[in-house]
Amino acid sequence: MDFHNPELYGHCFFKSILFDSLTPDEIKLIDSVKSEKLFRKGQTICIEGEEIKEFYHLKSGLVKLFKVDKSGKEHIISIAKPFDFIGLFTSFSNSNYQYSISAIEDSSFCIFDLKAIKHLIITNHVFALSLIENISKVSDHIIRTKIDMDSKMLRGRIAYIILYFSEYVYQNNTFEFPLSRKEIAELIDMTTENVIRSLSEFRKDNIIHIEGKQIKIINMDMLKKISNAG
Amino acid sequence: MDFHNPELYGHCFFKSILFDSLTPDEIKLIDSVKSEKLFRKGQTICIEGEEIKEFYHLKSGLVKLFKVDKSGKEHIISIAKPFDFIGLFTSFSNSNYQYSISAIEDSSFCIFDLKAIKHLIITNHVFALSLIENISKVSDHIIRTKIDMDSKMLRGRIAYIILYFSEYVYQNNTFEFPLSRKEIAELIDMTTENVIRSLSEFRKDNIIHIEGKQIKIINMDMLKKISNAG
DNA sequence: CGCGGCTTTGATGTTCATCAAGTAAAGTGG
DNA sequence: CCACTTTACTTGATGAACATCAAAGCCGCG
């Protein structure tokens, strides 16, 4: 793969708010320690507990950030799409990953040496401030969502998550769910059976059309009402 | 109040990991824009939505960080003691507070101009890195706790929170609960009635002695077992 | 002293997890 | 390529965990 292909290069840097602040020299420097890697759907990018040596920047695709509890159950903390800076979140608090990340769609990453990124923090204070802002935003979003979920009943959570994928991830009323029923359950803290039951109810009530992973929202107003009602 | 009392000064700066990296000149600079304020138990430090102009550093006391949902119910996100850098968490993602903070014990703060802190990020990269690490750590802790709670049943959550105050906040088997029953409920996402019921059960089972807000842990092993069992 | 807020206990009902069982889909190996 | 195994999906029945409702005692405060 050609790492210096200007098209890829452009994707990796200039579309990213975070890297906007870099000088040409800094871009050259960081570019020299970067590589690119494609992860297929289902593949693991990093595992909780591993040492953090690199900084991952999601270029395309979709990933899940998750944690396994004592009983072995997975808890999905967040779904991230490109430019969500999901790498940020798990890279600076510790020398080891606190969470695992795996691809729920084919995903390509730019991979930087973490030391180089830390060096940038030192040399470029605009970059540092931007980093701080972004870490805070990601945390805020995760925490706000969790609180939102806590006050919703199961149907409200399902409605919320359908809207999340429709509006935030795919910007489309029709889309293919990248998660299994089990993963949806892990994301919104309910059982697989009840995810299925709620989806079936929504179908019977003509709120959505669903066939396997293909979803089409029919009654958007009702879906929003259910999501907001909690 | 004498802001230049070396004893106070020491509390504000040198005991703090965050401010360790400052040069004497920087300390002088930041010291010139700092003030100090005492908040009595129950008083509000900042309210969600307000513009952030200052950076709060908790010197002594105990505060709660919380959010009010659509139905008006409070959700406590975190309890913070001195040097938990709770100010960090809500200061850099936005120009307005995403959460409210109020004192659950008499608490004194060092208050800095936020611009001065942002200036420090620019001039002192060790400080910047330290800030990034601390924000990440605080976020990590909050998210990990929330996930932990999700997999616990009510008795497990109560046990967890008693242990949290005993071990982390007060380092003592006997302590006075700084939260009302209702606030405990808001912290671990259950109803006030069930908080009371669980506490009563623990008393009947001779796991704790409780009289009003005064708590004494009698059977620590059992409490840990219940907390871990979930 | 009486009012409102906090605490406590009991009774009732609802939501949801668990269990069970069966179908469909997707890998796996001969 | 087909039998075989495994994994994902689906529905129904049951019971447990928990929220809600109700009522009464307690305490601080104007």
Side-chain angles (χ1 to χ4, degrees):
Chain A
M1 194 180 293
D2 176 16
F3 294 157
H4 293 80
N5 176 323
E7 213 261 315
L8 292 178
Y9 181 85
H11 274 292
C12 247
F13 289 111
F14 296 120
K15 284 195 181 173
S16 154
I17 314 150
L18 190 61
F19 290 113
D20 260 1
S21 58
L22 302 187
T23 65
D25 273 359
E26 285 170 338
I27 290 180
K28 212 177 279 173
L29 179 78
I30 197 116
D31 198 36
S32 68
V33 294
K34 116 173 186 246
S35 64
E36 236 180 276
K37 196 168 173 189
L38 176 73
F39 291 87
R40 293 281 171 202
K41 179 173 179 149
Q43 284 188 314
T44 300
I45 290 91
C46 62
I47 297 181
E48 187 186 340
E50 277 180 353
E51 193 186 346
I52 308 175
K53 290 174 183 161
E54 287 155 333
F55 177 87
Y56 288 86
H57 180 244
L58 182 60
K59 240 186 69 180
S60 68
L62 207 62
V63 300
K64 64 172 178 180
L65 181 69
F66 64 99
K67 207 170 168 66
V68 179
D69 72 14
K70 269 173 287 191
S71 66
K73 211 184 141 193
E74 271 186 25
H75 294 259
I76 298 180
I77 294 159
S78 180
I79 301 295
K81 62 176 187 176
F83 309 109
D84 275 352
F85 302 109
I86 205 62
L88 288 184
F89 185 63
T90 189
S91 294
F92 293 100
S93 53
N94 251 293
S95 54
N96 299 71
Y97 286 109
Q98 301 298 301
Y99 312 102
S100 304
I101 300 179
S102 75
I104 56 176
E105 284 179 1
D106 291 356
S107 298
S108 73
F109 283 86
C110 284
I111 302 173
F112 305 95
D113 189 274
L114 187 60
K115 281 185 194 133
I117 298 286
K118 286 193 175 175
H119 183 73
L120 273 185
I121 295 172
I122 291 169
T123 57
N124 185 326
H125 51 261
V126 179
F127 178 79
L129 249 180
S130 164
L131 206 61
I132 290 173
E133 279 172 21
N134 273 292
I135 293 177
S136 295
K137 266 187 197 146
V138 172
S139 311
D140 268 1
H141 179 254
I142 292 174
I143 291 167
R144 190 162 336 145
T145 306
K146 277 234 152 276
I147 291 174
D148 260 29
M149 284 298 173
D150 281 347
S151 51
K152 283 185 203 304
M153 288 187 305
L154 298 197
R155 283 168 56 95
R157 291 186 203 172
I158 290 286
Y160 181 100
I161 213 66
I162 293 172
L163 288 168
Y164 179 85
F165 278 100
S166 165
E167 295 178 347
Y168 178 70
V169 180
Y170 296 110
Q171 281 112 35
N172 200 317
N173 284 357
T174 306
F175 61 90
E176 191 174 317
F177 239 118
L179 300 173
S180 70
R181 308 294 194 249
K182 181 157 162 285
E183 284 173 316
I184 298 172
E186 288 163 356
L187 177 57
I188 57 184
D189 200 37
M190 52 195 278
T191 58
T192 309
E193 292 95 322
N194 281 327
V195 169
I196 292 163
R197 251 185 280 273
S198 300
L199 287 173
S200 299
E201 280 170 32
F202 285 177
R203 182 180 42 207
K204 277 172 206 152
D205 297 346
N206 259 330
I207 297 167
I208 57 170
H209 180 85
I210 185 165
E211 212 180 315
K213 309 223 154 174
Q214 205 66 31
I215 281 204
K216 182 179 183 176
I217 299 174
I218 298 170
N219 192 338
M220 180 64 89
D221 286 350
M222 184 59 81
L223 202 59
K224 285 187 179 171
K225 202 181 284 178
I226 293 170
S227 172
N228 284 321
Chain B
M1 192 179 294
D2 178 16
F3 294 156
H4 294 81
N5 174 323
E7 214 262 314
L8 292 178
Y9 182 86
H11 274 291
C12 247
F13 290 111
F14 296 120
K15 285 195 178 172
S16 152
I17 314 150
L18 190 60
F19 291 113
D20 259 2
S21 57
L22 302 188
T23 66
D25 274 357
E26 284 170 338
I27 290 179
K28 212 177 281 174
L29 178 79
I30 197 115
D31 200 34
S32 69
V33 294
K34 114 171 188 249
S35 65
E36 237 181 274
K37 197 168 172 186
L38 177 73
F39 290 88
R40 292 282 171 202
K41 180 174 177 145
Q43 284 189 313
T44 300
I45 290 92
C46 62
I47 297 181
E48 186 187 340
E50 277 180 353
E51 193 187 345
I52 308 175
K53 290 172 182 162
E54 287 154 331
F55 177 87
Y56 288 86
H57 180 244
L58 182 60
K59 239 185 72 180
S60 68
L62 207 63
V63 300
K64 64 172 177 178
L65 181 69
F66 65 100
K67 206 170 169 68
V68 179
D69 71 15
K70 270 173 285 192
S71 65
K73 211 184 142 194
E74 269 186 26
H75 295 259
I76 299 180
I77 296 159
S78 181
I79 302 294
K81 62 176 187 175
F83 309 109
D84 275 352
F85 303 108
I86 204 63
L88 288 183
F89 184 63
T90 188
S91 294
F92 293 100
S93 53
N94 250 294
S95 53
N96 298 71
Y97 287 109
Q98 301 297 302
Y99 312 103
S100 305
I101 299 180
S102 74
I104 55 176
E105 284 179 0
D106 292 354
S107 299
S108 73
F109 283 86
C110 284
I111 303 173
F112 306 95
D113 189 274
L114 188 59
K115 281 185 195 132
I117 298 285
K118 285 193 175 174
H119 183 73
L120 272 185
I121 295 172
I122 291 168
T123 57
N124 186 325
H125 51 260
V126 178
F127 178 80
L129 250 180
S130 164
L131 206 62
I132 289 172
E133 279 172 21
N134 273 292
I135 293 178
S136 295
K137 266 186 196 146
V138 173
S139 311
D140 268 1
H141 179 253
I142 293 174
I143 292 168
R144 191 163 336 147
T145 307
K146 277 236 151 274
I147 292 174
D148 260 28
M149 284 299 172
D150 281 349
S151 51
K152 282 185 203 306
M153 288 189 303
L154 298 197
R155 283 168 57 94
R157 291 186 204 174
I158 290 286
Y160 180 101
I161 214 64
I162 294 172
L163 289 168
Y164 179 84
F165 278 101
S166 165
E167 295 180 345
Y168 178 71
V169 180
Y170 296 111
Q171 280 113 35
N172 200 319
N173 283 358
T174 305
F175 62 92
E176 190 175 318
F177 239 118
L179 300 173
S180 69
R181 309 293 194 248
K182 182 159 160 286
E183 285 173 317
I184 299 172
E186 288 163 357
L187 177 58
I188 57 183
D189 198 38
M190 51 196 278
T191 59
T192 308
E193 291 95 323
N194 281 327
V195 169
I196 291 163
R197 251 184 280 272
S198 299
L199 287 174
S200 299
E201 281 171 31
F202 285 177
R203 182 180 43 209
K204 277 172 206 151
D205 297 347
N206 259 330
I207 297 166
I208 58 170
H209 180 84
I210 185 166
E211 210 179 317
K213 308 223 154 174
Q214 206 65 31
I215 282 204
K216 182 179 183 178
I217 299 173
I218 299 170
N219 191 338
M220 181 64 91
D221 286 350
M222 183 59 79
L223 202 58
K224 285 187 178 168
K225 203 183 284 178
I226 294 170
S227 172
N228 284 321

